[in-house]
Amino acid sequence: MKCDVHMLHSFAKIWLQRFNGVHAIPTTIVSNCTMGPTSSTTDELNWSCIPFLIHVNARQQSQTLVTMSMFNSPGGVVALTTNDVCPAGIDFHCSQVIEHLLSRPYVYSCLCERLKHVLPPNSEINRDWIASKVKQCMWDYSSSVNRRRTLMGSTKQSDCASVLKGLWDDVLSSPFDDYVNKFVKDRLHVGASQARTKSHEPQRSRGVEE
């Protein structure tokens, strides 16, 4: 998507500037990287060292959380379960969840009532505008949630962030979760049924004419 390409270009530009010494390493990052078993002195630190140093703990934890034994077991990975699917991956990009939520009278009524407080001046509330706010809620509080530590500064919040957060928690999150669970189960069920059907199909010998 265009926005993703723009984001990647921006990060590439920032890291090129960092590698070229345009930006100094913040003291908070320096202090985190000069402690522990793989610590470096302040004089030794440069931006090329940072990605390796800040992910030391994550690499150690991943070795205990994800092991190759789960893939090397007899038969390999037999089938995915609902626990294998990340709910944040189900949103308006790949499903009709927005239409589903807006089609529910109670949800739509609550959206109209609570969103009128952040309606731009001289504007009238309409379905398309409400849909855009539902998308924003879904993106901000589900799809784009990033639990990684930021290197510098804090994340930017929209002017109506508190209203949208309350709307997500009180109105949208529960029917959204119901939709996601059904969305995933329906597809896993279809996939499992197709796999069972295929496994019971008679195998024909190659090179033998009927």
Side-chain angles (χ1 to χ4, degrees):
M1 296 179 68
K2 184 177 180 179
C3 58
D4 295 319
V5 173
H6 176 73
M7 176 188 68
L8 292 172
H9 284 168
S10 298
F11 276 122
K13 181 178 179 180
I14 290 173
W15 276 98
L16 179 61
Q17 293 173 344
R18 289 172 175 172
F19 291 146
N20 289 334
V22 175
H23 302 297
I25 303 176
T27 54
T28 53
I29 299 177
V30 172
S31 62
N32 288 334
C33 293
T34 54
M35 300 172 62
T38 57
S39 62
S40 302
T41 64
T42 304
D43 295 336
E44 295 173 340
L45 278 181
N46 54 61
W47 276 109
S48 62
C49 304
I50 299 303
F52 173 81
L53 293 174
I54 63 176
H55 292 296
V56 169
N57 291 335
R59 282 195 299 274
Q60 294 172 346
Q61 293 173 4
S62 67
Q63 293 173 2
T64 60
L65 295 174
V66 180
T67 64
M68 289 306 297
S69 61
M70 63 186 296
F71 299 104
N72 295 331
S73 59
V77 179
V78 178
L80 293 176
T81 67
T82 53
N83 291 332
D84 296 315
V85 181
C86 177
I90 313 301
D91 65 4
F92 50 87
H93 289 103
C94 62
S95 73
Q96 301 296 315
V97 62
I98 300 294
E99 292 75 6
H100 170 77
L101 293 173
L102 296 183
S103 69
R104 303 184 62 172
Y106 173 75
V107 172
Y108 189 78
S109 175
C110 289
L111 291 171
C112 291
E113 178 62 27
R114 298 180 65 160
L115 284 174
K116 67 182 182 182
H117 301 295
V118 294
L119 189 68
N122 303 319
S123 301
E124 292 185 1
I125 200 163
N126 60 73
R127 188 181 181 87
D128 289 340
W129 183 78
I130 291 176
S132 72
K133 292 304 175 186
V134 174
K135 281 187 177 182
Q136 185 177 343
C137 283
M138 198 171 297
W139 179 255
D140 289 346
Y141 307 115
S142 179
S143 303
S144 73
V145 173
N146 189 337
R147 305 190 189 282
R148 290 172 292 184
R149 187 178 54 192
T150 57
L151 272 179
M152 304 168 66
S154 58
T155 56
K156 181 181 178 182
Q157 289 190 335
S158 61
D159 296 335
C160 57
S162 60
V163 174
L164 296 184
K165 183 63 167 66
L167 191 64
W168 177 257
D169 291 341
D170 302 338
V171 180
L172 294 172
S173 63
S174 180
F176 171 75
D177 289 342
D178 293 341
Y179 178 90
V180 168
N181 289 333
K182 186 176 186 304
F183 184 92
V184 172
K185 287 180 179 178
D186 287 348
R187 280 150 184 79
L188 289 180
H189 175 71
V190 170
S193 298
Q194 292 175 342
R196 285 195 297 270
T197 300
K198 188 174 182 179
S199 66
H200 286 86
E201 289 179 351
Q203 299 294 319
R204 293 182 179 180
S205 300
R206 293 184 178 180
V208 177
E209 296 183 358
E210 294 183 350

